[in-house]
Amino acid sequence: MRAVRFAEFGGPEVLRVADVPVPQPGPGQVRVAVRFAGVNPVDWKIRSGLFGGSLSRPRGLGQELAGVVGAVGPGAALSVGDEVFGWAIGGSYAEYALASAVFPKPPGMSWQDAAALPVAGEAALRGLRELAVRSGEVLLITGASGAVGSLATQLAVRRGIRVVGTAGDPSFVESLGATGVRYGPGLVERVRALVSTVDAVFDAAGHGMLPDALELRGSADRVLTIADPEAESLGVPFSGGTPDTTTPEVLRELAEAYTAGNLRIQHAATFPLEEAAEAHRLSQTGHARGKITLAVS
C-alpha cells in the first residue's frame, strides 16, 4: 500500500510516499481503507523532532481517519463494510490504517467532515469540560475560527454559553452564533467594550494570546490552553489529549451533535496523499482557517 513515511526529523521535505506492507489487525482492532485523513499541528511537531526521541526506522504520521472497515481483529465490535471515523494506530496518512477507537459514520456526514472531527472535536469537548463552563457564562475562545476553536464555539453556544471568539475574520465567528472580535493589539479593550466580565478562557490559538487572556480574566483561574508552550511560566494549565480521552463515546457525542445540525465543519484545504508535505507547510503557518485534510482514496 501507499503510505507517507519519514526516516529523519526535519522539514516537510522529509516526508515521502512509500510502498509498505498492508497492516493486519490485532485483538480489538480493525483495518480501515482510508478515504480521508486529518492533518494536525502535532503531526508536523513530531516530524520536526520537537518532541525528541530517535528514529530507528521510518515511521508514519496521522491520528485521525474516516473510511471503510476491511478487516476485523478478534474481539472488535465492528463488521467488514462498516463506514467509520476515529483515531488511527500507527498513522492515518496511508491507504490502509489500523484503529481501535472508531465509531459508525452517520449517513449524512461526508468523508471529509468525518476525518476532520476526531482530534479537534475531542479537544473542544475536553476544553469545555475542564473549564466547567455553564449556561449563561461568558467564555472567551481564542482562535475561534480554527479547527478546534470553531467546534468549541459551536458546542458552547449549543449549551447556552455566551462565546466571545477571536479571529482574523470576526464575521465567520458570528456565523457560528458567537460574538466575533479581531485579534491583535487592542484586544483587551475591544473585548471589554463587548462584555463586562469573562468567566473562562479557552486558548485554542497560542501565538502569545495568554497575557491578554489573563488580563481579561483577572487571574489564571479558569484559563486553559491547548496551544501555548509558555503556559507553565504563566501559571496556566496546558491540556493535552491522552489515550483515556480518545474513546468511541467522544465520537458518539460528536456524531450526535453533527447529525442534529449543531456542528459545521470549516475546511481550510484538502491535499492528495502525495502532497502531505504541502499540507504540513500550510499547517505550520498557523493561519489555516479550519481543518486540513488528505484525500486518500
Side-chain angles (χ1 to χ4, degrees), residues 6 9-10 44-53:
F6 67 105
F9 295 120
W44 59 259
K45 291 176 182 178
I46 292 171
R47 183 216 70 224
S48 62
L50 289 177
F51 295 139

Side-chain angles (χ1 to χ4, degrees), residues 158-221:
R158 180 177 178 232
R159 298 177 183 188
I161 297 163
R162 180 175 181 186
V163 176
V164 177
T166 73
D169 178 11
S171 65
F172 171 70
V173 176
E174 290 164 2
S175 75
L176 303 179
T179 301
V181 59
R182 190 175 300 279
Y183 65 78
L187 174 66
V188 171
E189 292 72 24
R190 288 194 293 277
V191 173
R192 284 179 173 162
L194 296 169
V195 293
S196 59
T197 185
V198 170
D199 296 300
V201 179
F202 184 15
D203 174 34
H207 304 294
M209 299 288 285
L210 283 180
D212 282 351
L214 289 169
E215 185 174 349
L216 286 163
R217 174 64 187 136
S219 73
D221 177 53

Side-chain angles (χ1 to χ4, degrees), residues 33-48:
V34 181
R35 297 290 182 87
F36 276 81
V39 176
N40 296 282
V42 68
D43 299 343
W44 59 259
K45 291 176 182 178
I46 292 171
R47 183 216 70 224
S48 62

